[in-house]
Amino acid sequence: MYVADSRASTSAASAEGAVRPRAGRRRAAVAPTVLALGAVSLITDVSSEMVTAVLPLYLVTGLGLSPLGFGLLDGIYNGFSALVRLIGGHLADRGGGRHKWVAGFGYALSAACKPLLLLAHTLTPIGLILAADRTGKGLRTAPRDALISLSSTPETRGRAFGVHRAMDTAGALFGPLVAFLILRATVDGYDAVFTVSFCVAVVGVLVLVLFVPNSVNGARTKPDPDGARTKSGPDSARSPATGTAPQAISWDTAPRPTLRAALALLARPDLRRVTLCALLLGLATVSDSFVYLLLQRRLGVPDRWFALLPLGTAAAFLLLAVPLGRLADRVGRWRVFLAGHGALLLAYALLLTSWHGTALPYAVLLLHGCFYAATDGVLMAVASESVPEELRSSGLALVQTGQALARFVCSLGFGAAWTAWGDRTALTASTVALALCALFALTLRRPTPSAPSEGLA
């Protein structure tokens, strides 16, 4: 009876997203693959955030776009990748060991788009260039996150994603700072930013090619004594719920890495709930660029200082990503994920108040960074629990696709609402919508303990 109660308790913790290692087990170090991918993301984010930091001001002030026009381009920039994430995940899974090369192609495509911004000065060509850039991001995101997941044990997956996101955010911290320095030091500041961004992106691609391994321990196979092919690696080492060795997994009966098999993953209740929650919450998540534009208008921030606003978000994200990732492994990843949206609600509420104190931007940006630290990598760790290794890229891409499409719609809607009724009304509507979606996600994603195995009762 004691064994059954212990098993049920552990299963409930696993269903909520917390994986407790066995007593006396030494905490595993982060895999070298995670660190190498973190270095690639750090360098690439320096490049991309240089552009992201100046793009809102360049489009709205420099080119004179309306909030609706900017909302369209921002939606493309943040949501177009949704159209190709499933393709990137599928290509990586089909190749068995192609995660690195699919991700590498995505990084290279995004790098090639940076100098093209020097030639575009109207809405249509800028939109096409941003769409191509986001296509590269869409292709690389799921294979990269699958590499992180497959390189990590179930007990440390939240920590691994936290370390990667922290390194990624270090690049997001340096990118706006580099853009700010370039704008102050050059006459044609925007052109110089786009040129330097391209050079940095090329370095990131080279680091990926030279230092990220072609395969990971979690994706290899080995023959068992009966001649069947079985999986070995982090996920096969132990059950995340019980800490015991699982039965051998036959690759003959595992789902084939096809698009139909990837879409069939939504038949899994846990993954379907995660995807639905990510989609609903994304529908009410205002784009970062709009948050910075709202802060600038509230506080009257001069144009030359605008590029520094993302630094606050990045600094908070960098400091909190690893601690919140480890906290998610201990207390439950879904709890931390929803708490992050609570922080975002507080940030919106502060922007809606009449408070104009000097601490306002620090408080808003701190909450904004806390939101990303508690949700970005944690969501991928939650989704990884419901996806088999052979379809890991495709399964993560499903969740990312729903979230990216929702944020695309939110950018369009927020830009249209701002143009029609003003920024305050648009933010009020988004705040109410986010609160309702968070409450729905809280009731939808309930832990459902697994039944004890036969013979343990």
Side-chain angles (χ1 to χ4, degrees):
M1 189 67 179
Y2 171 79
V3 175
D5 292 342
S6 175
R7 178 74 170 272
S9 175
T10 308
S11 299
S14 178
E16 184 63 22
V19 181
R20 295 184 175 89
R22 288 174 293 177
R25 182 178 178 86
R26 187 172 60 88
R27 180 178 296 163
V30 175
T33 299
V34 176
L35 298 178
L37 287 169
V40 174
S41 294
L42 188 157
I43 297 169
T44 302
D45 243 37
V46 171
S47 169
S48 61
E49 291 301 322
M50 287 174 62
V51 174
T52 301
V54 302
L55 196 61
L57 203 62
Y58 175 65
L59 296 175
V60 175
T61 303
L63 300 183
L65 291 182
S66 67
L68 177 58
F70 175 73
L72 175 61
L73 285 180
D74 189 70
I76 292 173
Y77 192 72
N78 290 292
F80 193 84
S81 62
L83 300 177
V84 293
R85 291 194 186 204
L86 285 175
I87 297 175
H90 172 66
L91 291 175
D93 287 335
R94 287 284 289 183
R98 291 182 185 169
H99 295 83
K100 169 183 174 177
W101 300 113
V102 174
F105 179 78
Y107 280 111
L109 179 59
S110 294
C113 292
K114 299 298 188 297
L116 296 180
L117 289 171
L118 297 169
L119 308 176
H121 301 285
T122 57
L123 183 64
T124 300
I126 291 176
L128 292 174
I129 293 169
L130 294 181
D133 177 83
R134 294 300 90 180
T135 297
K137 180 176 177 60
L139 288 173
R140 71 181 184 249
T141 301
R144 180 203 65 197
D145 285 348
L147 280 172
I148 296 171
S149 176
L150 293 170
S151 300
S152 309
T153 62
E155 297 92 335
T156 62
R157 195 163 285 148
R159 181 187 180 200
F161 275 105
V163 169
H164 174 267
R165 294 315 196 255
M167 297 179 70
D168 180 86
T169 308
L173 187 65
F174 289 120
L177 181 59
V178 174
F180 169 74
L181 295 175
I182 292 174
L183 287 176
R184 288 182 62 89
T186 59
V187 177
D188 298 325
Y190 294 118
D191 290 350
V193 167
F194 299 149
T195 302
V196 175
S197 174
F198 166 69
C199 297
V200 175
V202 171
V203 175
V205 175
L206 291 175
V207 172
L208 175 75
V209 172
L210 295 175
F211 296 104
V212 174
N214 291 324
S215 61
V216 293
N217 292 335
R220 66 177 184 264
T221 61
K222 64 180 181 181
D224 66 8
D226 297 328
R229 296 175 65 203
T230 59
K231 270 188 287 189
S232 64
D235 281 358
S236 64
R238 65 194 62 84
S239 167
T242 65
T244 60
Q247 299 296 321
I249 302 175
S250 173
W251 282 71
D252 295 331
T253 60
R256 292 184 60 194
T258 63
L259 285 176
R260 178 177 295 182
L263 294 175
L265 289 172
L266 290 176
R268 296 169 174 252
D270 285 347
L271 185 64
R272 186 169 61 246
R273 285 194 293 266
V274 169
T275 304
L276 178 59
C277 290
L279 188 151
L280 289 175
L281 292 168
L283 283 173
T285 302
V286 176
S287 167
D288 298 356
S289 298
F290 278 124
V291 171
Y292 303 141
L293 285 172
L294 288 167
L295 266 179
Q296 187 206 26
R297 296 198 172 200
R298 282 283 308 275
L299 302 175
V301 177
D303 290 353
R304 65 179 181 275
W305 297 103
F306 181 84
L308 292 181
L309 289 179
L311 290 178
T313 298
F317 192 173
L318 175 63
L319 293 174
L320 296 174
V322 175
L324 289 180
R326 294 174 61 182
L327 180 66
D329 285 337
R330 292 199 301 269
V331 305
R333 292 161 187 158
W334 195 249
R335 292 190 183 98
V336 173
F337 178 75
L338 290 180
H341 285 85
L344 187 62
L345 274 173
L346 289 177
Y348 292 172
L350 288 178
L351 286 172
L352 289 171
T353 64
S354 57
W355 180 35
H356 287 77
T358 56
L360 175 64
Y362 300 101
V364 170
L365 295 176
L366 174 62
L367 290 169
H368 199 223
C370 181
F371 158 70
Y372 278 112
T375 59
D376 192 15
V378 173
L379 178 61
M380 293 297 96
V382 171
S384 296
E385 300 165 8
S386 306
V387 183
E389 286 189 8
E390 59 274 8
L391 289 171
R392 187 64 52 85
S393 289
S394 300
L396 297 185
L398 284 172
V399 180
Q400 294 165 354
T401 296
Q403 186 180 59
L405 283 174
R407 291 183 176 179
F408 174 79
V409 173
C410 184
S411 288
L412 292 180
F414 191 86
W418 186 337
T419 302
W421 303 304
D423 56 350
R424 187 175 184 85
T425 301
L427 184 59
T428 300
S430 296
T431 303
V432 173
L434 181 60
L436 293 176
C437 290
L439 287 175
F440 180 75
L442 185 63
T443 60
L444 184 65
R445 173 73 178 181
R446 290 185 181 276
T448 53
S450 303
S453 301
E454 294 180 4
L456 293 177

